[in-house]
C-alpha cells in the first residue's frame, strides 16, 4: 500500500494512493470518524487499522485526483529528530574525504548522527538556499526507513517486523557548517533542510531486505546512481545495532545514508543554488522533487 499526507482545500490529511498514482483516497472516506488525522497516528494504530484500510481501499471507487491535491511530506512534523547514517556507501566515503578534516576510512561501526527538523518539505515544496549562512549547500538522496513497531535490542531476525514502510529522503547539508563546527548537527539541521516523499510504501510491498536503485538528478543531470544493496551497513544491521539499549518508536525515521555523487565530490564542487531542481528517486517508491529557493 502507498500512503501519503496531502492538503486539500487547506486541510491536511492522510490518504491511500491508488490507481497507479492517479488518485488518493482520504482515510476519512475509508474509516469515517475513526480515521487517523495524521500519518503518525496511522502508524501508531496500523496494526489495528490495516485490515480495514486494505479491504475498503480495494472496494472504494471514491477518492480525489492526485493532481487536485498537494502532497506534503508523509511525516511533516516527526516527533523526534531524524536518525541518519553517515558514510554508509563505500564510494561516498572516498568523496567525503575530499572535504578534509574527516577520517577517510570505511567505518567499522555505523556512523550515526541526527537531523533536527522544523517542517519536513514534501515533494514539490521548496528547499531554502540559506545563501546568507552557507555557500556550500549539498543534496543527499537516501532510502528512509519508517519504524512501525516500538522496540529495543531488536534481534536481526525480527527487524522487518518493526518497519512500517519506506520513503525517499533528501538529507540536505550545508558542507561549510558541517566542516566549521566539527560536528554535523548544525550543518544538517537548517530549516527546510530535510525533504521526504512523495509517499510511504508500506513494508509488505517491498521485498526484505530492500534492494532498490537510487538516483539523484540536479536540473536533469544525473549525479547519484547506486543500489541500496551497496549499503555498508544494511537495514538489518542498522536497526539491530542502533536499538541496542535504545528504544525505537513508531514514526521514527532512519535515513540510511547517501551514495557517491553529492556536490562536494565533483571538481570543482557543484553546490546547490537558488532555482535548482533536485530530483531524488528510489525504485518502487517514487521521485521526490524540490526546487531550491
Ligand atoms: Mg546523509
Amino acid at each position: 500500500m502507498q500512503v501519503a499526507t496531502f492538503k486539500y482545500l487547506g486541510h491536511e490529511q492522510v490518504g491511500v494512493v491508488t490507481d497507479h498514482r492517479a488518485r488518493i483516497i482520504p482515510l476519512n472516506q475509508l474509516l469515517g470518524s475513526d480515521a487517523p488525522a495524521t500519518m503518525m497516528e496511522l502508524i501508531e494504530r496500523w496494526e489495528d487499522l490495516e485490515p480495514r484500510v486494505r479491504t475498503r481501499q480495494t472496494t472504494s471507487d471514491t477518492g480525489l485526483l492526485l493532481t487536485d491535491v498537494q502532497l506534503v511530506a508523509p511525516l511533516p512534523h516527526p516527533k523526534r529528530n531524524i536518525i541518519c547514517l553517515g558514510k554508509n556507501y563505500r564510494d561516498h566515503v572516498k568523496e567525503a574525504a575530499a572535504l578534509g578534516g574527516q577520517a577517510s576510512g570505511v567505518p567499522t561501526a555505523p556512523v550515526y548522527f541526527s537531523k533536527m527538523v522544523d517542517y519536513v518539505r514534501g515533494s514539490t515544496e521548496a528547499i531554502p538556499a540559506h545563501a546568507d549562512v552557507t555557500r556550500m549547500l549539498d543534496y543527499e538522496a537516501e532510502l528512509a526507513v519508517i519504524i512501525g513497531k516500538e522496540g529495543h535490542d531488536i534481534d536481526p531476525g525480527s527487524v522487518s517486523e518493526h518497519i512500517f514502510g519506506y520513503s525517499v529522503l533528501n538529507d540536505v547539508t550545508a558542507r561549510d557548517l558541517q566542516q566549521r563546527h566539527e560536528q554535523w548537527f548544525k550543518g544538517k539541521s537548517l530549516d527546510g533542510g530535510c525533504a521526504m516523499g512523495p509517499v510511504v510504501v508500506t513494508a509488505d510491498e517491498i521485498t526484505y531486505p530492500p534492494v532498490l536503485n537510487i538516483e539523484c538528478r540536479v536540473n536533469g543531470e544525473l549525479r547519484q546512481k547506486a543500489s541500496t544493496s551497496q549499503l555498508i551497513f544494511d537495514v538489518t544491521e542498522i536497526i539491530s545495532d542502533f536499538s541496542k539499549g535504545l528504544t525505537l518508536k513508531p514514526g521514527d525515521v532512519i535515513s540510511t545514508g547517501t551514495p557517491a555523487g553529492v556536490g562536494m565530490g565533483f571538481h570543482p564542487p557543484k553546490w546547490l543554488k537558488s532555482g535548482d531542481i533536485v530530483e531524488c528517486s528510489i525504485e518502487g517508491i517514487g521521485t521526490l522533487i524540490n526546487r531550491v529557493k
Side-chain angles (χ1 to χ4, degrees):
M1 205 181 312
Q2 298 175 7
V3 288
T5 303
F6 67 100
K7 280 184 187 164
Y8 182 66
L9 302 176
H11 176 52
E12 194 174 289
Q13 51 190 306
V14 182
V16 178
V17 179
T18 62
D19 199 13
H20 306 285
R21 300 225 169 153
R23 296 187 313 146
I24 186 160
I25 308 172
L27 286 183
N28 58 22
Q29 284 190 17
L30 298 175
L31 300 169
S33 59
D34 193 33
T38 63
M39 184 70 74
M40 187 63 75
E41 189 185 341
L42 177 69
I43 294 169
E44 286 168 347
R45 297 175 56 202
W46 183 239
E47 214 165 81
D48 171 45
L49 293 177
E50 184 189 2
R52 274 185 287 161
V53 174
R54 205 168 279 286
T55 308
R56 293 179 192 178
Q57 62 109 5
T58 53
T59 56
S60 175
D61 59 359
T62 55
L64 302 163
L65 286 173
L66 211 57
T67 48
D68 287 344
V69 309
Q70 185 205 344
L71 290 184
V72 296
L75 286 159
H77 301 284
K79 282 186 181 171
R80 308 209 288 181
N81 287 2
I82 308 291
I83 300 155
C84 299
L85 273 285
K87 302 182 184 178
N88 204 21
Y89 287 84
R90 283 171 205 282
D91 289 349
H92 176 63
V93 173
K94 286 183 205 158
E95 69 177 357
L99 187 65
Q102 298 187 19
S104 58
V106 173
T108 53
V111 176
Y112 302 114
F113 64 92
S114 90
K115 190 173 179 76
M116 190 166 74
V117 283
D118 58 333
Y119 169 71
V120 180
R121 291 340 195 223
S123 198
T124 74
E125 289 183 300
I127 295 169
H130 292 294
D132 51 340
V133 293
T134 176
R135 305 185 74 82
M136 299 183 177
L137 195 71
D138 211 344
Y139 50 86
E140 296 190 350
E142 309 196 0
L143 173 70
V145 181
I146 295 115
I147 297 295
K149 193 173 101 181
E150 181 170 312
H152 59 83
D153 304 297
I154 298 169
D155 183 77
S158 308
V159 163
S160 61
E161 297 163 25
H162 290 263
I163 298 172
F164 172 74
Y166 303 92
S167 193
V168 183
L169 191 143
N170 186 349
D171 175 19
V172 180
T173 305
R175 299 289 177 206
D176 39 2
L177 301 186
Q178 189 181 23
Q179 196 172 14
R180 184 186 313 153
H181 298 283
E182 299 185 10
Q183 221 287 346
W184 302 354
F185 188 52
K186 181 172 168 67
K188 293 284 187 178
S189 300
L190 295 183
D191 290 350
C194 181
M196 182 164 59
V199 302
V200 170
V201 177
T202 54
D204 57 284
E205 286 208 1
I206 291 178
T207 305
Y208 193 85
V211 175
L212 306 168
N213 293 317
I214 177 168
E215 285 185 7
C216 181
R217 291 173 193 271
V218 178
N219 302 327
E221 181 191 2
L222 183 64
R223 299 280 184 87
Q224 296 183 283
K225 184 175 172 59
S227 164
T228 57
S229 65
Q230 296 167 278
L231 285 168
I232 296 170
F233 301 101
D234 68 9
V235 176
T236 299
E237 290 171 287
I238 293 168
I239 292 179
S240 58
D241 179 75
F242 192 71
S243 70
K244 285 175 187 162
L246 188 158
T247 303
L248 285 169
K249 297 186 174 182
D252 280 345
V253 178
I254 301 174
S255 203
T256 54
T258 201
V262 297
M264 74 170 164
F266 289 89
H267 305 285
K270 297 183 177 185
W271 306 122
L272 292 174
K273 59 186 186 309
S274 183
D276 283 350
I277 305 289
V278 188
E279 298 173 82
C280 301
S281 304
I282 298 182
E283 180 186 5
I285 301 174
T287 302
L288 170 69
I289 306 169
N290 300 97
R291 191 171 70 86
V292 181
K293 188 178 175 183

